[in-house]
Amino acid sequence: MSLAAPRSLRRRVSDLLYLRPRFLLLLLLLPPLLWMGILYLGSLFNLMLYSFYSLNDFTGQVEYRFSLSAFKQLFSSAANVDIVLRTTLMALAVTLACAVIAFPIAYYIAFYTRGSARAFWYLMVLLPLWSSYLIKVYAWRLILAGEGVVSWFFNALGLGWLLQGVLSLPVIGGTSLSNSYLGMFLVFTYIWLPYMILPIIAALERVPRSLIQASSDLGARPRQTFWKVVWPLSIPGVAAGSIFTFSLTLGDYIIPQVVGQPGFFIGQMVYVQQGTAGNLPLAAAFSVVPVVIIAIYLLIVRRMGAFNAL
Amino acid sequence: MPNKPSLSLRIAFIVGMLFLHFPILVIVLYAFTTEDRTYQFPPPGLTLKWFGEAFERQDMWRALLLSLEVAGMATAIALVLGTMVAAAIYRFEFRGKDLVTALLILPIALPGILTGIALLTTFKRLAIEPSFWTIVIGHATFCMVTVYNNVVARFRRTGHSQLEASMDLGADWLSTWRFVVLPSIATALLAGGMLSFALSFDEVIVTTFTAADQKTLPIWFLNELFRPRERPVTNVVAVFVMLITFLPIVLAQWLTRDTDDLHGGGKTS
């Protein structure tokens, strides 16, 4: 081809992209950034704005003027503060339980399986994670109901009195497991558990095997090796998992609705305020609460190296 | 680390795994129960009749169809946009790179209710009526990261050299994409697409806020949960939905089995 031959348009565009990489970068990033930056971040920003608007008591319309009345309404009512506390405590309890149950599972998969066996167990953690959220919650309603699986099991073992005893406890008890905070706690723990297992596996897989050998060569007993070598190195994984268990519990409104007691959770409050109550500013103010709590939480776990394990 | 797991570790592992899978087995069992009023366990008898009943329910089919349409459309958008980000992140060094990935992760790191209500308030303000498309917008927003994760993991394994070789040999951008890049990321695209499809197919919280009276299958399911017409039909549909989501997950796992990263490890990571 002679140099003088006219280049096709396609060729020219191609050369332009090759010679001006910045232009290509712009071309690649612009559409997704517009989507995420304007549509998504913009929406979040708009939500924040709404929390500084107020509701006109007479017309029931949102007044687009700066006001702190939504936040005032939120924090001046003891019931609302209770909702925030209740949700946060539940999120912490669920996170702790998830970590305790997830760790041995992750430890086993990371250290005692390899090859196709590991792929299999990995998939066995993934499947419950990916199976429908609603259906899992629904399954727990079947399991925890008064006439359901758990009651049957306790009665069959002659331990019905034990279950009744637990249910009669204040705070965590209720008329049946499906109407108690204990039941809700179980369901939350179950639903978010895989989110904790996976990052811990990832963290444990990164622990150099030579370090463990060196530790035992130097005379450490397995227990010492675990606490002094393996555990500190797995903390980022646990912290990363806890971001999900914590944040997801804070915002969920379906589990408290399906299983649990009448006491509201943050998510339910957001849902009710935007829907039936029609108070968007208050709903927005309520939805700012988990953002602030999560931001504080992130600041804490960042120091534990959570972001490197995500 | 000793060579054999200790007894207590083995027990904790087995009990944990049973805990993870027991509820799924319960759902399958209840799809066959003859009892249609209560959650009685064990079921007094087993029957196949509810499968037939579920098959007859037109409202269920409509919801299923809508879910498939939404998931298909959201996945298509996520595939295009997610791949673009992945290509940019892999190919270039630029300031704010981490910010871009953080932005993609945000919709699933923050509770879904935030994405939902944020979009809702914005739609309200812009006087956009909730519709099929507002649902799709919500879904595509959180599906993008799934595609991105899978594709970027694959990109990282294929070096820049192939691309440069192709260009050196005279291929233009389009042909290079068509004959070099696309084949090498094809399975990652497929895997990311399927995961994103499954994610959208199952989504209920964001949908609640962005839909008008459209009922996707999860919304239909939620309604049945509180006002059941026939309880066992709900169980049958549950089993059905699980089968629909399991298949793409297992396939996606298989398609990306040789990738070292824990690509798309969670719905989240």
Side-chain angles (χ1 to χ4, degrees):
Chain A
M1 195 195 288
S2 90
L3 281 173
R7 295 179 311 160
S8 69
L9 178 68
R10 182 170 153 185
R11 189 80 236 180
R12 277 204 307 258
V13 172
S14 179
D15 287 349
L16 179 73
L17 291 177
Y18 193 75
L19 296 171
R20 301 220 184 283
R22 295 246 140 225
F23 179 68
L24 176 63
L25 175 65
L26 196 72
L27 218 62
L28 281 175
L29 273 184
L30 207 58
L33 275 189
L34 283 181
W35 184 293
M36 293 307 288
I38 295 184
L39 207 78
Y40 181 66
L41 274 192
S43 291
L44 279 182
F45 182 71
N46 183 46
L47 177 69
M48 300 291 133
L49 282 183
Y50 259 89
S51 66
F52 292 107
Y53 295 148
S54 62
L55 201 67
N56 187 312
D57 289 335
F58 297 107
T59 61
Q61 296 293 313
V62 177
E63 291 202 336
Y64 297 98
R65 247 180 295 133
F66 178 82
S67 150
L68 285 173
S69 70
F71 286 103
K72 228 177 271 166
Q73 207 180 339
L74 202 170
F75 289 111
S76 61
S77 137
N80 288 347
V81 175
D82 270 354
I83 291 174
V84 173
L85 284 180
R86 184 183 302 135
T87 313
T88 313
L89 278 178
M90 179 62 88
L92 286 174
V94 167
T95 299
L96 196 68
C98 280
V100 170
I101 303 175
F103 202 88
I105 298 178
Y107 192 83
Y108 188 94
I109 293 178
F111 284 141
Y112 295 106
T113 62
R114 53 173 65 88
S116 58
R118 169 169 305 179
F120 171 77
W121 288 116
Y122 194 74
L123 192 65
M124 291 312 264
V125 177
L126 275 187
L127 279 185
L129 172 74
W130 279 93
S131 44
S132 168
Y133 161 86
L134 266 181
I135 287 163
K136 285 182 290 184
V137 176
Y138 176 60
W140 276 95
R141 197 162 140 135
L142 298 177
I143 294 170
L144 298 177
E147 68 273 28
V149 184
V150 174
S151 299
W152 176 84
F153 192 72
F154 270 87
N155 288 330
L157 288 178
L159 291 171
W161 54 271
L162 185 65
L163 186 64
Q164 285 313 314
V166 172
L167 284 176
S168 63
L169 290 174
V171 185
I172 63 166
T175 52
S176 78
L177 271 176
S178 58
N179 287 310
S180 67
Y181 287 131
L182 181 62
M184 195 193 297
F185 165 77
L186 264 174
V187 180
F188 268 130
T189 305
Y190 171 81
I191 301 279
W192 310 137
L193 184 58
Y195 289 87
M196 183 65 98
I197 299 177
L198 294 171
I200 302 184
I201 295 181
L204 288 176
E205 275 178 342
R206 265 179 247 163
V207 174
R209 299 300 186 266
S210 55
L211 224 58
I212 296 168
Q213 268 169 1
S215 166
S216 58
D217 282 351
L218 292 168
R221 268 160 303 174
R223 190 175 292 266
Q224 281 174 308
T225 304
F226 177 79
W227 285 113
K228 304 240 153 144
V229 180
V230 179
W231 171 247
L233 288 172
S234 63
I235 285 178
V238 179
S242 78
I243 294 175
F244 294 115
T245 57
F246 186 75
S247 149
L248 291 169
T249 312
L250 274 188
D252 194 276
Y253 70 91
I254 292 191
I255 292 174
Q257 212 176 332
V258 178
V259 186
Q261 291 204 321
F264 266 18
F265 275 63
I266 292 177
Q268 284 170 293
M269 206 54 189
V270 174
Y271 182 72
V272 170
Q273 289 301 332
Q274 67 82 27
T276 38
N279 190 343
L280 262 182
L282 186 58
F286 254 106
S287 59
V288 172
V289 173
V291 178
V292 173
I293 299 177
I294 291 165
I296 297 171
Y297 191 77
L298 288 181
L299 281 179
I300 298 171
V301 292
R302 194 176 67 154
R303 306 183 58 176
M304 301 159 87
F307 292 146
N308 302 326
L310 273 177
Chain B
M1 173 188 61
N3 295 324
K4 281 255 177 289
S6 68
L7 186 65
S8 51
L9 178 64
R10 245 184 278 183
I11 291 172
F13 174 71
I14 292 168
V15 171
M17 275 297 176
L18 283 176
F19 179 58
L20 273 179
H21 290 273
F22 180 66
I24 295 172
L25 298 177
V26 168
I27 280 286
V28 175
L29 176 69
Y30 272 89
F32 296 96
T33 184
T34 48
E35 168 62 56
D36 65 347
R37 297 257 162 264
T38 64
Y39 298 124
Q40 189 190 344
F41 184 87
L46 300 175
T47 171
L48 279 171
K49 127 178 179 213
W50 305 114
F51 284 82
E53 306 255 327
F55 197 77
E56 299 287 313
R57 290 279 291 268
Q58 286 309 312
D59 53 336
M60 189 276 287
W61 287 109
R62 269 197 301 279
L64 176 65
L65 192 68
L66 178 66
S67 271
L68 293 176
E69 282 168 4
V70 168
M73 193 54 78
T75 300
I77 297 173
L79 274 175
V80 174
L81 296 179
T83 308
M84 287 170 100
V85 184
I89 293 283
Y90 155 77
R91 178 83 174 69
F92 297 101
E93 285 303 324
F94 55 92
R95 248 182 304 154
K97 206 169 169 170
D98 291 342
L99 246 98
V100 174
T101 43
L103 189 59
L104 281 189
I105 296 173
L106 210 56
I108 39 176
L110 289 177
I113 195 167
L114 269 167
T115 311
I117 194 175
L119 288 173
L120 175 78
T121 46
T122 307
F123 291 147
K124 277 214 164 145
R125 193 159 205 183
L126 300 174
I128 298 172
E129 288 297 315
S131 68
F132 172 80
W133 290 105
T134 53
I135 308 177
V136 169
I137 288 175
H139 284 206
T141 302
F142 60 76
C143 283
M144 229 179 276
V145 69
T146 320
V147 174
Y148 162 79
N149 267 335
N150 278 271
V151 176
V152 87
R154 180 64 53 86
F155 267 140
R156 286 196 175 120
R157 285 194 316 136
T158 41
H160 291 271
S161 53
Q162 284 182 5
L163 247 155
E164 272 157 20
S166 159
M167 308 279 277
D168 282 349
L169 291 170
D172 58 21
W173 267 100
L174 208 68
S175 336
T176 306
W177 256 90
R178 167 81 184 73
F179 294 108
V180 179
V181 181
L182 224 47
S184 73
I185 62 166
T187 51
L189 277 176
L190 196 56
M194 280 191 295
L195 292 175
S196 143
F197 191 91
L199 195 57
S200 162
F201 190 77
D202 184 36
E203 217 298 324
V204 60
I205 293 185
V206 176
T207 321
T208 313
F209 287 90
T210 49
D213 55 353
Q214 294 90 348
K215 279 196 181 58
T216 60
L217 201 58
I219 303 268
W220 178 89
F221 196 88
L222 196 63
N223 284 340
E224 290 295 306
L225 242 166
F226 290 106
R227 285 178 299 275
R229 261 164 63 185
E230 300 146 298
R231 191 164 270 153
V233 167
T234 321
N235 301 329
V236 171
V237 175
V239 172
F240 187 54
V241 169
M242 263 184 331
L243 290 178
I244 295 185
T245 29
F246 275 11
L247 210 66
I249 308 311
V250 177
L251 263 174
Q253 243 344 72
W254 183 75
L255 284 172
T256 52
R257 65 199 178 283
D258 48 355
T259 316
D260 296 333
D261 300 72
L262 291 174
H263 53 266
K267 285 182 179 181
T268 42
S269 61

